[in-house]
Amino acid sequence: MRAVVQRVSQASVTVAGQVTGQIRQGLLVLVGVGAEDGPADADALAEKIATLRIFEDDGGKMNRSVQDLPGAGVLAVSQFTLFGDCRKGRRPSFTAAMAPDAARALFDRTVERLRALGLPVGTGVFGAHMDVALINDG
C-alpha cells in the first residue's frame, strides 16, 4: 500500500456536490492499494498513519502524532493513481494497482483500523470522481 500523508488545518472531499467527509486539524491521506497487498498491509498502514510523529510539541519539535492532538482526525481518500507507472511512454500503466473490489476491502479495513485506534475518520466515495479541498499545514 502507498499513502501520501499531508498535515492540514482542514480538509474535505466532495462527490457530486455533496461533502462526504471533512476534518479540521489532522491528516489528509491519499491511499493506494497495490496488487500484492493484503490485510496485514492495511493494518500496518493504519498504525503508521496514527502514530506518525509529524506535529510539533510545545518545544517546536515533531513529537506528536494525530492521536496526540485533541479533536484531530484523518480524511482518507482512495487513490489508485498512486500505483501509476510512467516509466514507459506518456500514458501511465496501472497494472500494479489492485482490482477495485479487492482494493475497496483493504481501503475500508485501513479506515476501520484507524477508527479502532480512536481517530475520527472521514472518507470520500471509493471509485467516485472526488473533489478534494485542503488547507495545508506546513
Side-chain angles (χ1 to χ4, degrees):
M1 295 182 79
R2 293 181 182 164
V4 175
V5 178
Q6 179 63 54
R7 286 186 342 183
V8 297
S9 56
Q10 66 183 40
S12 64
V13 61
T14 304
V15 177
Q18 298 293 317
V19 174
T20 63
Q22 62 185 358
I23 60 168
R24 291 191 181 167
Q25 182 183 30
L27 299 174
L28 169 63
V29 183
L30 304 178
V31 179
V33 182
E36 303 297 319
D37 292 327
D41 298 303
D43 294 345
L45 181 61
E47 294 281 340
K48 181 66 77 171
I49 291 166
T51 60
L52 194 60
R53 297 186 319 166
I54 59 173
F55 293 93
E56 293 179 354
D57 63 14
D58 294 335
K61 297 199 186 253
M62 288 192 182
N63 279 327
R64 291 187 179 156
S65 71
V66 68
Q67 289 181 311
D68 299 325
L69 301 175
V74 175
L75 180 60
V77 178
S78 62
Q79 187 72 312
F80 78 95
T81 60
L82 293 179
F83 277 90
D85 183 351
C86 299
R87 290 178 288 184
K88 295 181 182 177
R90 292 189 176 95
R91 185 175 309 156
S93 169
F94 297 104
T95 58
M98 184 174 278
D101 289 340
R104 180 186 316 241
L106 290 182
F107 175 80
D108 289 345
R109 183 179 178 113
T110 303
V111 169
E112 290 309 314
R113 182 70 188 129
L114 286 165
R115 288 180 177 146
L117 292 168
L119 291 167
V121 181
T123 65
V125 175
F126 192 94
H129 177 87
M130 294 178 272
D131 294 321
V132 179
L134 67 119
I135 297 178
N136 186 28
D137 178 20

